[in-house]
Amino acid sequence: MSKWDAIWLNAQLATMQAGRPYGLIQDGAIGVKAGTIAWVGKRTELPGSPETLADAVFEAGGCWITPGLIDCHTHLVYAGNRAREFELRLQGASYEEIARAGGGIRSTVAATREASPELLTATAERRLRALRSQGVTTVEIKSGYGLDLETEVKMLRVARSLAEHQPVTIRTTFLGAHALPVEFEGRSDAYIDFVCAEVLPVVAQEGLVDAVDAFCEGIGFSPAQTVRVFEAAQRWGLPVKLHADQLSDLGGAALAAQFRALSAEHLEYTSVEGVAAMASAGTVAVLLPGAFYFLRETQLPPVAQFRQHGVPMAIATDCNPGSSPTTSPLLMLNMACTLFQLTPEEALTGMTRNAALALGLAEQRGTLAVGQAADFVLWDIEQPAELAYSIGGNPCLNVIKAGFPALPPAEFPQPN
């Protein structure tokens, strides 16, 4: 056996593999070779002494290790903020009223169009560091705050570049069909023509995108317009995702399933028929409790139906300036439990194994298993449920990327 690059010892492992609660392995060890997990199991079953097995030996000190958290739905690259709209909503204005009055997404579009790549990179890096400090090792970043060719390309290039500055895996999603820009006012079909014929070909040819998304909603785009975007994505060989059924039931979940989408996201108003279609297509339900909380929504996503039909449920921050200005994945785990009544295990599965499914990365990430990327997190906890239980805390001791500590220890909280 060739020598491993690293080995982690004396850890409680929540492997998140199916079959037993949290995929628990007590007094476990993880061997790493070339950035992937080469061995995982009980320490007593190691095929030799640690020093002979690996070049670097790390001691976990009895702490817990989970797979790296995966934030599978963010809008991390943007300029400005919408704190004033937050005030307006508290005074009684609805999200839709603000959007129709020129606020909402359009206000962020204006700020993002004006921002330099350097400014977008600097602000996105701050948000990314916050996510990583709570255990995130993989992040999906959507465009959609440009709504023109130049800014959409700018956003996606910035998103791709973040992985050059921080040890994190980035997946990018083209969300050109996010809102109608002012220059296309009253001409939504013409804008969809523009997205499909002029913007998508450029970002696809430049290799800037891993998937294509759309906002199928009364204040977004119709199902028929969404179909056109998805058909264009198919022509470029790109998988699709969908902002679906957040504010009303337009059949978005079933539409996503029709195109075998990786995921459908939000889903508060999804019907039983939509749930069944997702189950048949293998489409993941991405639940976004931050947006639900921030917008003070009352229509819960159909969690019981997702369970009944076996639809995998992922959890994400939806980090964005208008409806979920959070960079705390741990708070989202808590909200998934307290607001959506997921169990702590379901919530953690939703930000590991199922989040990987939602990005098409299940063979590479999301569990502690041989062949998976050696991206995991060391936690100062006594049981995995604490990750969803605590409000406002951060028990992350270190994030491990490709088998080695990713950041200087000074950037992380110290154990109690």
Side-chain angles (χ1 to χ4, degrees), residues 6 27 59 65 144 187 190 298 353 383:
D27 190 15
E59 170 62 48
I65 288 178
R187 299 186 298 128
T298 57
R353 189 173 78 230
Q383 55 184 308

Side-chain angles (χ1 to χ4, degrees), residues 92-413:
S94 72
Y95 183 78
E96 292 189 56
E97 288 170 342
I98 291 170
R100 295 188 186 282
I105 293 169
R106 282 184 174 181
S107 64
T108 301
V109 168
T112 305
R113 286 181 175 182
E114 293 177 2
S116 67
E118 293 76 17
L119 175 61
L120 291 177
T121 300
T123 54
E125 281 189 335
R126 287 198 295 271
R127 298 175 195 121
L128 185 57
R129 279 194 295 271
L131 292 175
R132 291 180 54 237
S133 74
Q134 292 194 11
V136 170
T137 58
T138 299
V139 181
E140 184 253 22
I141 301 175
K142 303 178 190 294
S143 69
Y145 290 134
L147 310 184
D148 60 13
L149 176 58
E150 178 183 1
T151 315
E152 289 292 303
V153 169
K154 177 174 67 175
M155 290 184 66
L156 290 165
R157 285 176 177 165
V158 166
R160 284 282 204 231
S161 75
L162 295 175
E164 301 171 6
H165 305 285
Q166 298 189 44
V168 64
T169 298
I170 301 291
R171 301 291 282 186
T172 54
T173 298
F174 173 58
L175 182 56
H178 193 196
L180 190 65
V182 292
E183 60 268 27
F184 280 89
E185 185 68 44
R187 299 186 298 128
S188 60
D189 281 329
Y191 177 67
I192 294 298
D193 289 339
F194 170 72
V195 166
C196 295
E198 299 188 41
V199 187
L200 179 54
V202 172
V203 298
Q205 287 175 326
E206 289 196 22
L208 293 174
V209 290
D210 301 303
V212 173
D213 197 349
F215 184 31
C216 184
E217 191 55 72
I219 60 172
F221 297 94
S222 71
Q225 291 167 334
T226 301
V227 166
R228 292 169 58 197
V229 173
F230 282 3
E231 289 175 344
Q234 286 183 330
R235 290 194 290 271
W236 286 101
L238 291 167
V240 298
K241 307 163 74 68
L242 187 62
H243 284 60
D245 306 336
Q246 178 186 9
L247 305 173
S248 61
D249 181 10
L250 294 184
L255 174 57
Q258 177 186 334
F259 284 84
R260 306 196 72 82
L262 291 172
S263 61
E265 323 200 351
H266 288 290
L267 303 170
E268 281 86 341
Y269 286 84
T270 295
S271 66
V272 174
E273 293 76 15
V275 172
M278 290 175 64
S280 178
T283 297
V284 177
V286 178
L287 306 183
L288 304 169
F292 179 91
Y293 165 82
F294 196 75
L295 297 178
R296 298 192 294 172
E297 298 291 347
T298 57
Q299 176 76 25
L300 291 165
V303 168
Q305 294 292 334
F306 290 140
R307 288 193 188 111
Q308 179 181 340
H309 287 80
V311 175
M313 291 180 286
I315 304 297
T317 64
D318 192 15
C319 174
N320 76 79
S323 63
S324 189
T326 181
T327 51
S328 176
L330 297 180
L331 181 58
M332 297 305 98
L333 295 182
N334 177 273
M335 286 186 175
C337 296
T338 57
L339 299 179
F340 295 166
Q341 299 181 28
L342 270 66
T343 68
E345 184 179 4
E346 285 177 322
L348 186 56
T349 301
M351 207 166 264
T352 53
R353 189 173 78 230
N354 289 349
L357 276 173
L359 296 180
L361 296 176
E363 295 183 1
Q364 304 170 34
R365 288 173 169 77
T367 63
L368 301 178
V370 172
Q372 291 262 301
D375 295 351
F376 43 90
V377 190
L378 189 66
W379 304 99
D380 181 27
I381 55 176
E382 295 183 2
Q383 55 184 308
E386 290 179 44
L387 298 178
Y389 159 77
S390 180
I391 302 174
N394 183 12
C396 178
L397 294 176
N398 215 325
V399 174
I400 314 306
K401 188 69 176 171
F404 290 85
L407 282 179
E411 297 194 29
F412 289 88

